[in-house]
Amino acid sequence: MPAEAPLAIPADSRFILAAARVPAELVLEPPAGAFRDAEGALLLDVLIDHGKVAGLFAGGAGPKDGFRVKMDGRQLWPALIDMHTHLDCGQAIPRVRPDGTIHGGFSQTAADWPHWTDEDMALRMEFGISCAHVHGVAAIRTHVDSETLALSRQGYRAFEQLRQKWARRVELQAVTIAAMEAWIGEEACELADLTASKGGILGGVTDTLERGENGTYDTLDHALDRLFALAKERGLDVDLHVDQTDDLSAFTIPQIAAARLRSDFQGRVVLGHCVNLSLQPPEVIETTLALAKQAELAFVSMPTPMMYLMDRKPGYTPRWRGVTAANEIRAAGLPLAVGGDNCRDAWFPYGDHDMLDTLKQAIRVFQADEPLTGSLAMASRVPADLIGRPDLGRIGTGLPANLIIFSARSLNALLCRDQQDRIVLSHGRQVTDPLPLHHELERALLQVRAD
Ligand SMILES: [Zn+2]
């Protein structure tokens, strides 16, 4: 069989993607009369004009003037969103050598901090952003290591330069990730002010706080109260690393929900990881999620690195998938996004900032495919809303034409093959950049160290 000819995307500012198949959950205000296939995708003509989606029409009913790209039923998706990454730690292989444990992640990252010069960070972080861009990611939220104020300043300096450089192509947001003690320490206000000056978000790691004699997190309430107060004073959102452990006693979601409820903080609160939730008894899961709903908490799960890190012991095959209670969270009506998390660093040695890969892993690991409906939003609509960008992660009239065209005609085919031949449009223009090369980065990093 001859190979299918690749689609030609015009350089014109106005063209029509004719007869595209768009999953209905990714369409804002679908046009009347569009054919809907058995997988829930709508057959649409999509008008692109000056970088925006200028109109959605039932397939065959679009404007007759202008260049028509014959999509022949190819899948058309909005560009995806990665709302939980660590660009500052990333792309450090082989300089760091992960041992598959959380402890190793912490200690090896800390040992790598002395190498984090402006140049080193710029090279590694930009490599990650470039990968995401080529794969069709329109926005990234990254956590800035802020163990000390100096480290935080260093990370934000690199972040700020890249945020400006990549604006419109990959929108960048940053979260200040610190030990929770930092929010009751002497530098708390300065750290919060630094975050605010960069348009950032306040974060922290809740389950690594020192515990009292009876195993409870005695200072967590105080730290959470201060965190919410600092965020409220500055109008910032909150995004926490929560319970990244199989230790059932290190379970902080109820304390976070209670702190949110007793505060008058009105911003968004996102909880990342929460993996031991899935190991709790069903009645604990139920009451915890009811409390989370009352406190308007949202969740983000990082299935790929968690499968690598959780339930790992020498000479043992993991019995636990290491992810949160994803389907229970969704069934409770709470927002659940997926994120890529660490990439080629001391926590996780693999990854390529490809959110399609993350979504596919999530669908399989969560068994979120019966039905598949709603699951695609975990990497698009849901994270776009949680990062405050409702103009992204969906296809709608007036929204940026940040799109991915797949050669697959069905969702099944899309999930079966790796889709490396996808075509990415950024504001209506085809992205033609190649993926950056690992060996070239390695060479450049060695050069930086030699200088
Ligand atoms: Zn993380």
Side-chain angles (χ1 to χ4, degrees):
M1 240 192 299
E4 190 170 60
L7 272 188
I9 305 296
D12 312 21
S13 58
R14 187 177 190 277
F15 58 93
I16 298 141
L17 299 173
R21 217 180 237 112
V22 190
E25 67 188 88
L26 305 180
V27 183
L28 191 69
E29 297 174 8
F35 170 78
R36 189 187 181 106
D37 72 14
E39 293 179 320
L42 302 172
L43 199 66
L44 301 178
D45 286 357
V46 180
L47 174 64
I48 312 294
D49 199 355
H50 286 89
K52 291 196 165 170
V53 172
L56 295 179
F57 309 87
K64 300 295 176 238
D65 62 312
F67 191 92
R68 293 172 74 80
V69 180
K70 290 181 186 152
M71 295 281 282
D72 188 34
R74 286 174 172 79
Q75 291 273 326
L76 177 70
W77 287 25
L80 301 176
I81 310 298
D82 192 350
M83 71 165 290
H84 186 122
T85 65
H86 295 262
L87 292 171
D88 57 358
C89 305
Q91 310 301 335
I93 301 284
R95 190 167 81 194
V96 295
R97 296 185 184 279
D99 63 8
T101 68
I102 294 277
H103 176 76
F106 274 119
S107 60
Q108 289 218 34
T109 302
D112 196 47
W113 284 334
H115 299 310
W116 292 17
T117 60
D118 289 352
E119 238 180 324
D120 173 81
M121 292 187 90
L123 280 169
R124 291 184 296 104
M125 290 171 73
E126 185 152 39
F127 189 95
I129 298 165
S130 303
C131 294
H133 181 53
V134 174
H135 288 311
V137 172
I140 292 178
R141 176 180 280 186
T142 187
H143 292 257
V144 175
D145 265 14
S146 302
E147 188 71 12
T148 63
L149 199 51
L151 185 68
S152 193
R153 286 204 182 99
Q154 170 95 45
Y156 269 113
R157 197 158 59 234
F159 163 79
E160 182 61 25
Q161 284 181 0
L162 292 167
R163 186 172 70 88
Q164 288 178 17
K165 183 173 174 184
W166 282 84
R168 277 177 62 83
R169 289 180 292 166
V170 181
E171 305 287 355
L172 294 177
Q173 287 187 356
V175 184
T176 298
I177 178 171
M180 284 304 289
E181 289 93 333
W183 302 116
I184 43 179
E186 281 177 9
E187 293 177 335
C189 281
E190 236 174 309
L191 202 54
D193 286 342
L194 171 66
T195 310
S197 72
K198 306 295 181 191
I201 291 130
L202 297 190
V205 187
T206 58
D207 60 297
T208 55
L209 261 177
E210 292 261 324
R211 289 204 256 179
E213 271 174 26
N214 53 3
T216 52
Y217 289 102
D218 299 334
T219 51
L220 182 58
D221 285 347
H222 183 199
L224 286 166
D225 289 346
R226 276 303 290 147
L227 178 72
F228 285 131
L230 290 163
K232 180 175 186 266
E233 285 160 16
R234 291 159 183 79
L236 307 178
D237 286 342
V238 167
D239 190 333
L240 297 164
H241 275 69
V242 178
D243 308 346
Q244 201 172 332
T245 173
D246 60 359
D247 177 357
L248 287 183
S249 69
F251 186 53
T252 62
I253 303 174
Q255 259 178 287
I256 299 166
R260 160 65 178 246
L261 286 169
R262 71 173 168 267
S263 78
D264 52 1
F265 175 68
Q266 299 296 320
R268 292 186 192 86
V269 182
V270 176
L271 310 191
H273 298 296
C274 303
V275 298
N276 67 5
L277 176 66
S278 66
L279 299 174
Q280 302 286 348
E283 60 277 13
V284 175
I285 295 178
E286 199 178 319
T287 52
T288 302
L289 293 180
L291 193 61
K293 183 136 198 206
Q294 213 186 327
E296 294 179 33
L297 305 181
F299 294 83
V300 56
S301 171
M302 278 55 73
T304 318
M306 287 307 102
M307 279 192 291
Y308 172 82
L309 281 168
M310 294 293 129
D311 208 16
R312 178 188 280 261
K313 301 174 193 103
Y316 166 88
T317 306
R319 313 292 199 260
W320 173 44
R321 294 181 180 212
V323 293
T324 191
N327 296 332
E328 290 86 340
I329 290 171
R330 294 176 66 201
L334 286 154
L336 175 74
V338 292
D341 209 6
N342 299 84
C343 192
R344 300 186 68 243
D345 63 14
W347 303 87
F348 183 61
Y350 313 120
D352 204 31
H353 292 284
D354 180 357
M355 278 305 292
L356 179 67
D357 180 60
T358 296
L359 179 65
K360 287 182 178 188
Q361 302 256 15
I363 288 169
R364 288 170 186 156
V365 176
F366 300 165
Q367 297 181 348
D369 54 349
E370 289 297 336
L372 199 51
T373 314
S375 295
L376 310 180
M378 293 191 295
S380 50
R381 280 183 92 129
V382 175
D385 290 343
L386 292 178
I387 67 167
R389 292 299 303 261
D391 57 327
L392 303 177
R394 67 210 73 199
I395 297 177
T397 304
L399 303 184
N402 296 328
L403 304 166
I404 311 176
I405 300 167
F406 297 105
S407 58
R409 268 56 167 188
S410 67
L411 276 179
N412 176 267
L414 200 157
L415 294 173
C416 289
R417 292 229 170 121
D418 69 4
Q419 309 300 324
Q420 289 304 317
D421 59 348
R422 74 194 80 165
I423 294 171
V424 174
L425 302 184
S426 177
H427 297 275
R429 298 270 175 205
Q430 184 171 358
V431 173
T432 54
D433 310 8
L435 280 169
L437 298 174
H438 297 109
H439 64 273
E440 285 184 0
L441 173 71
E442 206 176 311
R443 207 177 292 146
L445 289 173
L446 285 172
Q447 189 61 46
V448 166
R449 286 181 73 175
D451 289 345

